[in-house]
């Protein structure tokens, strides 16, 4: 009888390389390795593909999904101004759903009943993989070797690898755990686990140090949006993907886009996280500046709550959930007239919106101005204030009756 098959989310690193052999040995299954290109820096994916085969995968697939990632995933995050705990643009949380989608697709194509991942039992990513897979096909089974095996230290893993002819990294292992894609970079572990210590400067690759080597001149950049997504840079048409790449470069060069935070993981642990997100933070800043101009007040205020819930759901692995889908519907409706330009100024670690305009702008100069052109009815304000303040006025009177100066 043919062996069962497992499609493994493969990165080319030590964990998932060891996992190929471990799954074969411990589960008696064939492994199909799947590496997904979501815009990680410096990764030779052809090398990754052949590496999986050399370890024993019966098939090894590399898929470049960058365009789909930008169009179907990142665009939703930008429209939602998605920041978990008001700070983190969901770098890793964003890439997992698209990886999941392709894992499930390949599992179906190869009649595999199992999907494997290399996440530990302590992070968010295991949840994102497993809940995501369950949403797309609840009959698929999960194999999570890193959570199961007894290889506690990196040395034990290296030993297992050497005993099984699995290529081990020749360079000294980085003390950090890094996950990246075109929406940014996440850096954990090593000295960063002490929340009191300032992160060493060598952890950064996308952003310059704003105390030192950034430009002495400010730089202005104009980003144009159509229905909530970027379509041009400095007046030149550019795809959303190109805009992200350019903004990673420009903002990074000016030292904008570093985040150092304590974050609440879903599994209940607080962790110290460093992120480099120059492009993501720039685009969210610009997008918000345009929404300030184009969204009606109640919609804008209500959307802030939706944004927070959306970010929480996506952080917690609920990308394919019905609530997240329903919130997408709300957000999409709000974006119909979020079209226009935002001018940003970059200087020494800062990114500030300094101008915004839109054919759908709700800013009315005649209503806003204190000059002669003022068309606002000042007298109408009195009646408005009387009624607006009426309930509190009634309350205050009553309080004074019961006790002196409001004291009961
Ligand atoms: N804490 C972040 C998240 O859960 C980043 C995790 C990144 N993983 C890593 N191996 N550095 O989304």
């Amino acid at each position: 009888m043919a062996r069962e098959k497992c499609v493994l989310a493969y990165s080319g690193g030590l964990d998932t390389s060891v996992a190929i052999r471990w799954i074969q040995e411990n589960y008696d299954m064939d492994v199909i390795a799947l590496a997904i290109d979501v815009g990680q820096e410096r990764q030779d994916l052809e090398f990754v593909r052949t590496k999986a085969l050399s370890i024993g995968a019966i098939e090894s697939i590399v898929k470049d999904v960058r365009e789909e990632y930008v169009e179907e995933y990142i665009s939703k995050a930008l429209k939602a101004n998605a920041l978990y705990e008001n700070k983190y643009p969901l770098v890793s949380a964003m890439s997992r759903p698209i990886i999941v989608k392709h894992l499930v697709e390949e599992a179906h194509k190869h009649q595999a009943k199992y999907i494997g991942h290399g996440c530990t039992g302590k992070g968010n990513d295991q949840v994102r993989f497993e809940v995501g897979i369950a949403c797309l096909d609840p009959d698929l089974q999960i194999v999570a070797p890193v959570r199961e095996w007894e290889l506690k230290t990196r040395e034990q893993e290296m030993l297992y690898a050497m005993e099984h002819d699995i290529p081990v990294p020749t360079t000294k292992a980085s003390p950090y755990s890094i996950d990246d894609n075109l929406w940014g970079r996440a850096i954990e572990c090593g000295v960063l686990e002490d929340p009191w210590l300032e992160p060493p400067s060598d952890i950064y690759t996308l952003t310059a140090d704003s105390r030192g080597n950034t430009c002495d001149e400010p730089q202005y950049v104009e980003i144009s949006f159509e229905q909530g997504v970027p379509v041009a840079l400095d007046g030149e048409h550019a795809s959303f993907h190109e805009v992200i790449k350019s903004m990673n470069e420009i903002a990074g060069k000016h030292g904008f886009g570093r985040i150092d935070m304590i974050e609440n993981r879903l599994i209940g642990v607080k962790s110290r996280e460093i992120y480099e997100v120059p492009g993501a933070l720039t685009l969210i800043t610009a997008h918000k500046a345009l929404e300030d101009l184009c969204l009606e007040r109640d919609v804008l205020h209500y959307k802030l709550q939706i944004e927070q819930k959306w970010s929480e759901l996506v952080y917690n692995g609920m990308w394919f959930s019905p609530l997240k889908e329903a919130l997408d519907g709300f957000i999409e409706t709000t974006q119909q007239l979020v079209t226009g330009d935002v001018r940003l100024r970059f200087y020494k670690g800062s990114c500030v919106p300094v101008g915004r305009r839109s054919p759908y702008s709700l800013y009315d100069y005649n209503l806003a101005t204190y000059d002669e052109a003022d068309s606002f009815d000042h007298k109408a304000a009195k009646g408005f204030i009387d009624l607006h303040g009426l309930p509190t006025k009634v309350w205050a009177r009553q309080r004074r009756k019961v006790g002196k100066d409001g004291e009961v």
Side-chain angles (χ1 to χ4, degrees):
M1 217 179 80
R3 295 213 291 179
E4 291 291 355
K5 288 180 207 149
C6 173
V7 178
L8 173 70
Y10 186 60
S11 72
L14 183 63
D15 283 348
T16 50
S17 295
V18 168
I20 294 180
R21 188 62 60 82
W22 194 91
I23 293 171
Q24 289 170 333
E25 281 190 352
N26 291 272
Y27 279 78
D28 192 28
M29 284 178 196
D30 283 334
V31 175
I32 297 163
L34 176 63
I36 298 288
D37 183 357
V38 278
Q40 304 89 318
E41 45 176 8
R42 287 192 303 270
Q43 218 183 15
D44 179 351
L45 288 170
E46 183 45 30
F47 175 76
V48 169
R49 197 184 69 78
T50 49
K51 185 172 173 183
L53 292 174
S54 78
I55 299 169
I58 57 158
E59 205 175 322
S60 183
I61 306 158
V62 169
K63 273 184 159 178
D64 178 354
V65 303
R66 286 175 296 172
E67 284 309 318
E68 182 191 358
Y69 185 43
V70 171
E71 298 305 323
E72 307 292 329
Y73 294 77
I74 299 298
S75 68
K76 290 195 169 75
L78 180 58
K79 288 172 184 175
N81 298 318
L83 294 172
Y84 177 65
E85 295 183 338
N86 274 332
K87 298 188 197 77
Y88 163 46
L90 299 173
V91 175
S92 306
M94 286 305 299
S95 74
R96 297 316 184 251
I98 189 168
I99 296 174
V100 161
K101 183 194 154 206
H102 287 276
L103 283 167
V104 172
E105 239 172 65
E106 291 302 322
H108 289 163
K109 216 191 276 174
H110 292 85
Q111 277 105 41
K113 291 195 189 127
Y114 295 82
I115 289 183
H117 64 69
C119 306
T120 70
K122 225 161 119 170
N124 297 310
D125 288 330
Q126 50 174 347
V127 184
R128 296 169 185 153
F129 274 111
E130 294 178 32
V131 175
I133 291 163
C135 284
L136 297 183
D137 182 350
D139 292 329
L140 285 166
Q141 312 249 2
I142 305 292
V143 181
V146 179
R147 226 164 39 193
E148 278 179 44
W149 65 35
E150 296 293 318
L151 309 170
K152 289 222 168 6
T153 63
R154 193 175 164 87
E155 285 64 40
Q156 289 172 348
E157 241 184 279
M158 296 273 270
L159 198 67
Y160 180 98
M162 285 186 286
E163 282 168 10
H164 290 80
D165 280 334
I166 297 166
V168 293
T170 46
T171 48
K172 199 171 167 292
S174 154
Y176 308 112
S177 161
I178 294 163
D179 181 56
D180 71 323
N181 61 69
L182 47 83
W183 204 228
R185 241 177 125 242
I187 313 137
E188 295 175 336
C189 302
V191 292
L192 304 175
E193 287 175 355
D194 179 349
W196 179 245
L197 277 189
E198 184 173 354
S201 52
D202 64 354
I203 63 167
Y204 299 107
T205 63
L206 297 177
T207 52
D209 188 338
S210 58
R211 292 168 306 183
N213 50 1
T214 54
C215 320
D216 287 324
E217 292 298 316
Q219 182 175 353
Y220 291 84
V221 175
E222 191 180 303
I223 304 176
S224 307
F225 289 84
E226 248 174 60
Q227 303 199 317
V229 288
V231 291
L233 210 57
D234 287 331
E236 301 271 329
H237 175 79
S239 71
F240 187 6
H241 191 178
E242 286 163 350
V243 173
I244 296 172
K245 282 198 278 187
S246 301
M247 291 326 302
N248 269 334
E249 249 166 61
I250 296 170
K253 187 177 78 183
H254 288 276
F256 174 71
R258 292 184 179 181
I259 298 170
D260 175 347
M261 70 185 280
I262 302 294
E263 166 182 311
N264 289 287
R265 289 191 193 163
L266 177 60
I267 42 97
V269 173
K270 280 191 192 291
S271 64
R272 201 275 187 92
E273 305 278 339
I274 308 295
Y275 299 109
E276 277 192 290
V277 279
L281 272 196
T282 296
L283 290 169
I284 292 173
T285 303
H287 181 256
K288 281 182 169 197
L290 188 59
E291 283 189 329
D292 290 343
L293 199 64
C294 299
L295 294 190
E296 185 273 335
R297 178 187 64 184
D298 287 349
V299 173
L300 184 95
H301 289 183
Y302 199 76
K303 183 167 181 279
L304 288 171
Q305 298 170 45
I306 300 290
E307 289 172 355
Q308 211 170 63
K309 188 67 196 171
W310 192 97
S311 306
E312 216 174 277
L313 285 169
V314 173
Y315 184 87
N316 291 342
M318 302 307 232
W319 179 273
F320 298 106
S321 70
L323 178 55
K324 144 77 176 46
E325 202 179 303
L327 298 189
D328 277 337
F330 171 86
I331 294 170
E332 199 55 46
T333 310
T334 64
Q335 298 300 296
Q336 285 166 12
L337 301 180
V338 182
T339 293
D341 312 312
V342 177
R343 199 164 71 250
L344 301 166
R345 188 190 62 219
F346 292 94
Y347 184 63
K348 300 264 175 228
S350 71
C351 162
V352 185
V354 292
R356 64 289 277 158
R357 64 180 174 198
S358 163
Y360 308 107
S361 169
L362 299 176
Y363 177 88
D364 184 327
Y365 172 78
N366 296 102
L367 285 178
T369 184
Y370 285 95
D371 287 347
E372 251 170 74
D374 185 1
S375 67
F376 185 84
D377 182 354
H378 288 248
K379 294 203 176 77
K382 186 183 174 310
F384 168 73
I385 296 164
D386 285 347
L387 298 188
H388 176 68
L390 187 59
T392 32
K393 213 164 159 179
V394 171
W395 168 82
R397 282 227 168 85
Q398 201 268 353
R399 293 279 305 253
R400 287 167 75 95
K401 244 194 267 163
V402 214
K404 219 171 142 250
D405 294 330
E407 285 160 29
V408 186

